[in-house]
Amino acid sequence: GAGVSQTPSNKVTEKGKYVELRCDPISGHTALYWYRQSLGQGPEFLIYFQGTGAADDSGLPNDRFFAVRPEGSVSTLKIQRTERGDSAVYLCASSLGLAANTGELFFGEGSRLTVL
Amino acid sequence: TQLLEQSPQFLSIQEGENLTVYCNSSSVFSSLQWYRQEPGEGPVLLVTVVTGGEVKKLKRLTFQFGDARKDSSLHITAAQTGDTGLYLCAGVRPGTASKLTFGTGTRLQVTL
């Protein structure tokens, strides 16, 4: 596809369950970012991949959160033992270059996670 | 504590009015970007500024990067209903090549 694709668009789960959120970046983009956004707030950085490796995971809130990008393209954000506070929109973005080089981030529409 | 504070948090104006949104920090940024986000969508880049004191214009939008590269502003002239959305500044700190940090956001509503 032409843009960043995220699935599912909407996920409702129960407290304590495991959740996977998928991101398919723009073809050829080596940089991939995950952000979390609460209603009306700015996105909060979670993790950044350059190729297959997590170059910066300093934004992951705790060890229940984990992300992979095994082949340097599609990425999966995994959340274990979900809590109500995890409810948010999870945004994925991809870029041709580093943010430091003023690379534009292209965002998907997000996955809305609701933990009951 | 948010690294980038935006003000105002919410702004409701009528079409034709002018407005300014501010993005402030106590930290220096290598570059700063402005995004606009509409409901149900991801943020979309409007502009990138990299030099202290830089001013960029995009039609009715004027962006300025502070001389010390700690703050930025977005000025909209003669707002239109199509300008409605969440405006986000985002910056890269020196030495953190990968991490784009977003501001707290300003929700703009423009009515007829």
Side-chain angles (χ1 to χ4, degrees), chain A residues 3-47:
Chain A
V4 176
S5 176
Q6 290 189 246
T7 54
S9 56
N10 227 317
K11 175 72 177 178
V12 180
T13 190
E14 292 180 343
K15 180 174 178 293
K17 298 289 188 183
Y18 170 80
V19 165
E20 286 191 355
L21 306 176
R22 175 190 166 106
C23 173
D24 200 340
I26 293 173
S27 178
H29 281 193
T30 57
L32 186 145
Y33 297 76
W34 282 100
Y35 284 83
R36 177 168 71 175
Q37 186 175 29
S38 299
L39 191 62
Q41 302 294 313
E44 173 193 12
F45 173 84
L46 295 177
I47 188 169

Side-chain angles (χ1 to χ4, degrees), chain B residues 86-97:
Chain B
L86 180 67
Y87 288 81
L88 297 158
C89 63
V92 177
R93 295 284 317 282
T96 61

Side-chain angles (χ1 to χ4, degrees), chain B residues 59 84 95 98:
Chain B
K59 297 183 181 177
T84 294
S98 60

Side-chain angles (χ1 to χ4, degrees), chain A residues 33 35 37 39-45 48 55-56 58-59 91 98-110 112, chain B residues 2 9 30-31 33 35 37 40-45 48-50 86 88 92 96-105 107:
Chain A
Y33 297 76
Y35 284 83
Q37 186 175 29
L39 191 62
Q41 302 294 313
E44 173 193 12
F45 173 84
Y48 157 76
D56 186 341
S58 62
L91 292 167
L98 290 173
N101 297 332
T102 66
E104 177 179 358
L105 267 62
F106 294 85
F107 283 86
E109 294 185 343
R112 179 177 297 280
Chain B
Q2 286 284 96
Q9 193 173 354
S30 305
S31 64
Q33 298 178 329
Y35 288 78
Q37 184 178 23
E41 299 182 7
V44 175
L45 180 68
T48 300
V49 286
V50 296
L86 180 67
L88 297 158
V92 177
T96 61
S98 60
K99 196 169 177 176
L100 187 67
T101 300
F102 279 85
T104 49
R107 182 161 299 281

